[in-house]
Amino acid sequence: MSRELRLRIVSGVILGILVLAATWVGGIWFRSLAVLIMVLMHYEFSTITNAPVKAPLANAIGWLAILATAVFILTSLPSMALAAIFIGGCGAVLAGVMRGGGLWSATAVVYAGFSGLALAEIRGEGHFGLFAMLFIFAIVWATDILAYFCGRALGGPKLAPRISPGKTWSGALFGAAAGVGAGVGVALIIRQGGGVLIPIIALVLSVASEIGDLFESWVKRRFGAKDSSRLIPGHGGVMDRVDGLVFAAFAAFLLGNILPLADHAGVADELAARLLGL
């Protein structure tokens, strides 16, 4: 085992313990964690895209929006947080129209802001939020781990060579299968049963996590960055560690707000509904 892999495993375990502890406690502790992730992601995204130099006004507007979003998340005002993200993104685009740049700053606001909001809202205050986060963690971590090791061991055709040359179809497929298995496993443990929607939701979240990984790889490749930062030993930056998690959280957040509009009685049992807060 290489020194880099050992460092990656140790730092990953430590971070996992801290994240799980905050998730278990919930409340202000998890909201604070979500805010910390959001702020660090915005910092890294802005740094990668060189927004402070290329679009200083848009970058400043973006930071104001992120700080406002942080306050609203900490005070449990999700509608205000969503408004701050929307206004900040539009303000960054408008600043870009007037001064140049701005699109990447707007992307940074939406990407980081919605990450913090989605995580905080999924966890919420009660134990069903805890179940939902454990469900998502299991899917994302299983997908990431199996995709990494199976991709390296099996090789084969590249998934997206122009975006991330190291990723393979074998890793993506095994990662998705592992994510579905982990999600179903958590569902069975929590409720000793599971409906037909559980593996479907697990697959959607697993694929979303892989798309998140590719998105971050594309941004880094677009600006010639190897890592989003050097904040985490063996992992680079926060974006490098949570790229899949936040996209899975996006998908879960959207599912939790879209599915109630449909009549899915008899398809989604109580387990699926509770896990995603429907």
Side-chain angles (χ1 to χ4, degrees), residues 37-50 63 108 111 216 219 225 227-232 235-242:
I37 290 172
M38 177 185 70
V39 170
L40 292 177
M41 285 180 64
H42 187 263
Y43 161 74
E44 290 178 347
F45 202 110
S46 300
T47 302
I48 290 173
T49 59
N50 200 22
W63 271 113
Y111 181 54
E216 197 237 1
V219 172
D227 298 313
S228 59
S229 73
R230 297 178 180 272
L231 293 175
I232 305 174
H235 286 284
V238 174
M239 281 174 56
D240 297 318
R241 183 65 274 174
V242 303

Side-chain angles (χ1 to χ4, degrees), residues 109-160:
V109 172
V110 174
Y111 181 54
F114 197 41
S115 296
L117 177 60
L119 288 171
E121 285 303 293
I122 291 170
R123 176 57 185 91
E125 300 292 340
H127 59 283
F128 287 127
L130 172 63
F131 295 161
M133 285 309 310
L134 292 178
F135 182 68
I136 294 170
F137 285 152
I139 293 169
V140 173
W141 290 346
T143 300
D144 185 47
I145 292 170
L146 264 293
Y148 178 79
F149 284 105
C150 290
R152 292 186 60 140
L154 300 176
K158 302 298 183 181
L159 178 63

